[in-house]
Amino acid sequence: MSAQSRPFPPLLVLAALLLPLFYFLDQNIHTQYVFDHVKLQEISQAAIAKHGNDTESLMRQVHQGLRAEYGDAIVADYSKEDWFWNNAGGAMGTMVILHASISEYLIFFGTPLQTEGHSGVHTADDYFTILVGEQYVAAAGDLKPKIYRPGDQNLMKRGTVTQYAMPRECFALELAQGWIPPMLPFGFADTFTSTLDFGNLWKTIYYTAWHMGGQALRLKF
């Protein structure tokens, strides 16, 4: 068979067919968004103004504000048993899921101690609104950190990389908007390379799948 008459490799043909679809989906992923990061910051700032460093009361008011604004898109309630560990990029914190879908997640994340690590390279924009404490952030080449304090919102655009630290107690309301499933391996990897905490891995997978499954019918493509 001559070189001119050889068929295209199947994978090349598949890629040619799928790339336009992926491009279309990526350009329209924003149509699936439920949350407005500006509104989340406003809800957080109102709770901070009322409760200051009372972390539990502050987060409860944020949760109530989110329910009032977004209804059943936010979990009706959460308890201490709904929190689980997050080990990713060398950092360790605790989190509870308020909402999760293929296009967004909204969580409380933080630590009562301190933590520091690699942000990861993600397929979503990340809005990190500080509730209590401080977050220090630096990009490659920065000689001084950017410091985010209660009420501030740190935006890390998808594809960017930072080093971050919470030098003391720090909790935040974190919103990710974009493609969420490709972010999950970053959250799982430390289980296999260091912690071996497979019980927590199972809890992470279970809660993430449960929330994403509950939001699947909201898709509007």
Side-chain angles (χ1 to χ4, degrees):
M1 183 181 292
S2 66
Q4 291 183 340
S5 62
R6 289 176 184 169
F8 288 107
L11 289 179
L12 186 61
V13 174
L14 182 62
L17 294 173
L18 291 180
L19 282 176
L21 175 62
F22 290 156
Y23 178 80
F24 170 80
L25 292 174
D26 189 58
Q27 292 301 302
N28 290 277
I29 187 68
H30 67 278
T31 65
Q32 308 305 311
Y33 295 166
V34 174
F35 303 105
D36 176 3
H37 66 89
V38 175
K39 176 59 68 175
L40 298 189
Q41 187 175 20
E42 291 173 354
I43 291 171
S44 299
Q45 289 173 339
I48 292 165
K50 182 175 181 179
H51 295 288
N53 290 325
D54 183 347
T55 306
E56 176 65 20
S57 298
L58 194 164
M59 288 196 292
R60 285 295 176 187
Q61 182 172 327
V62 170
H63 177 256
Q64 291 172 7
L66 293 171
R67 286 281 294 177
E69 183 71 24
Y70 296 106
D72 289 340
I74 300 294
V75 295
D77 198 8
Y78 64 90
S79 66
K80 186 175 181 180
E81 288 69 33
D82 296 315
W83 289 79
F84 53 93
W85 295 114
N86 177 257
N87 291 88
M92 183 173 185
T94 184
M95 61 179 279
V96 63
I97 298 175
L98 304 176
H99 171 99
S101 68
I102 66 167
S103 60
E104 291 177 295
Y105 71 66
L106 184 66
I107 63 174
F108 286 133
F109 172 81
T111 174
L113 303 173
Q114 75 282 318
T115 194
E116 182 269 338
H118 190 292
S119 66
V121 185
H122 298 303
T123 51
D125 293 330
D126 190 273
Y127 299 90
F128 203 77
T129 305
I130 305 300
L131 301 176
V132 175
E134 294 179 338
Q135 182 195 37
Y136 287 45
V137 178
D142 286 350
L143 302 182
K144 298 287 185 180
K146 295 178 181 177
I147 303 175
Y148 297 88
R149 297 183 172 90
D152 294 341
Q153 188 175 83
N154 171 22
L155 167 60
M156 187 179 75
K157 290 184 177 293
R158 70 176 185 173
T160 60
V161 177
T162 64
Q163 178 185 9
Y164 75 95
M166 298 171 170
R168 291 170 294 279
E169 174 191 2
C170 183
F171 285 90
L173 178 67
E174 181 178 1
L175 169 69
Q177 292 183 315
W179 295 105
I180 303 305
M183 300 175 66
L184 299 180
F186 177 71
F188 298 159
D190 279 17
T191 299
F192 300 97
T193 60
S194 60
T195 71
L196 303 180
D197 187 353
F198 294 105
N200 188 72
L201 176 64
W202 165 248
K203 193 172 184 179
T204 305
I205 293 172
Y206 173 82
Y207 279 121
T208 302
W210 186 85
H211 284 281
M212 284 188 171
Q215 297 297 326
L217 296 179
R218 292 179 178 269
L219 294 175
K220 297 174 289 186
F221 282 131

